[in-house]
């Protein structure tokens, strides 16, 4: 009797695996839903920094972080032009604003916000194409010099922006 139960359990496992292999849309545990039978490549163009405040290394670091995310989380081939998916855009905001104003009219915290304008094209399914603006921010103690905390803040903000863009482009379920 135990033998029949084990055969039944293994049969269910094999059936589940067989059903998962026959689907043409790949669902991964990181959430990506890409039809790899139709979509094979992605082009990610360099993002330009068009913000009034410019931190020279940021545009390149941001573009590379985007490319890394798609390379690590998808099976898409990164191509310099003509990809099935196209991602391009500009850094449009790099802003500091006071928050948590104290009694003495000085702020205890400063908010650092980065805004990115993104153009996404899906040549296989044009209905999924879009132009959107994404932003992310972090606060820091106003007693800190911005140039001392800027790199760490940008690392956190970049991770947040890349995740937002990735979710909007390939995690569309």
């Amino acid at each position: 009797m135990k033998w029949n139960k084990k055969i039944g359990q293994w049969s269910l496992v094999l059936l589940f695996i067989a059903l998962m292999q026959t689907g043409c849309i790949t669902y991964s545990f990181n959430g990506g839903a890409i039809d790899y039978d139709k979509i094979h490549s992605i082009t990610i163009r360099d993002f330009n920094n068009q913000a009034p405040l410019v931190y020279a290394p940021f545009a390149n670091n941001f573009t590379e972080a985007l490319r890394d995310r798609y390379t690590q989380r998808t099976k898409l081939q990164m191509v310099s032009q003509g990809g099935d998916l196209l991602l391009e855009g500009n850094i449009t905001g790099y802003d500091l604003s006071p928050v948590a104003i104290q009694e003495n009219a000085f702020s205890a915290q400063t908010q650092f916000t980065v805004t990115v304008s993104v153009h996404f094209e899906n040549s296989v399914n044009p209905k999924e194409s879009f132009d959107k603006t994404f932003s992310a921010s972090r606060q820091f103690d106003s007693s800190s010099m911005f140039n001392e905390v800027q790199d760490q803040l940008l690392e956190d903000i970049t991770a947040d922006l890349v995740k937002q863009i990735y979710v909007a482009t390939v995690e569309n379920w």
Side-chain angles (χ1 to χ4, degrees):
M1 206 59 163
K2 288 183 180 181
W3 180 253
N4 287 339
K5 189 175 184 179
K6 285 189 179 197
I7 289 176
Q9 289 173 343
W10 279 108
S11 297
L12 285 175
V13 169
L14 291 174
L15 178 64
F16 177 75
I17 291 171
L19 289 174
M20 292 300 290
Q21 295 297 323
T22 60
C24 55
I25 295 178
T26 303
Y27 290 96
S28 63
F29 289 108
N30 60 26
I34 299 172
D35 186 345
Y36 288 105
D37 290 336
K38 296 178 183 175
I39 300 174
H40 307 284
S41 60
I42 185 168
T43 298
I44 300 178
R45 294 196 179 132
D46 291 339
F47 275 65
N48 297 312
N49 199 337
Q50 295 183 343
L53 278 173
V54 175
Y55 181 56
F58 179 60
N60 186 56
N61 293 346
F62 179 75
T63 302
E64 288 307 312
L66 266 176
R67 289 178 178 147
D68 288 348
R69 179 74 168 219
Y70 285 85
T71 300
Q72 293 168 359
R73 302 254 175 138
T74 71
K75 298 177 188 176
L76 298 174
Q77 180 181 1
M78 190 71 59
V79 295
S80 60
Q81 58 184 349
D84 297 322
L85 304 178
L86 169 67
L87 195 56
E88 61 187 349
N90 298 299
I91 299 156
T92 57
Y94 196 88
D95 304 306
L96 296 168
S97 56
V99 292
I101 306 298
Q102 300 173 328
E103 292 175 11
N104 59 7
F106 290 103
S107 75
Q109 296 278 305
T110 300
Q111 183 162 308
F112 175 42
T113 304
V114 175
T115 305
V116 180
S117 175
V118 173
H119 173 74
F120 173 69
E121 285 182 26
N122 182 333
S123 64
V124 175
N125 188 358
K127 289 185 278 183
E128 293 180 0
S129 300
F130 63 76
D131 289 293
K132 287 185 184 177
T133 299
F134 298 88
S135 65
S137 61
R138 294 293 184 274
Q139 292 183 5
F140 64 97
D141 193 321
S142 293
S143 64
S144 300
M145 295 297 295
F146 180 61
N147 61 349
E148 293 173 358
V149 296
Q150 178 175 224
D151 288 334
Q152 181 59 52
L153 294 170
L154 277 175
E155 190 175 311
D156 295 343
I157 287 171
T158 298
D160 191 0
L161 287 168
V162 166
K163 182 179 179 182
Q164 289 179 47
I165 294 166
Y166 182 83
V167 166
T169 56
V170 299
E171 290 189 355
N172 51 2
W173 40 316

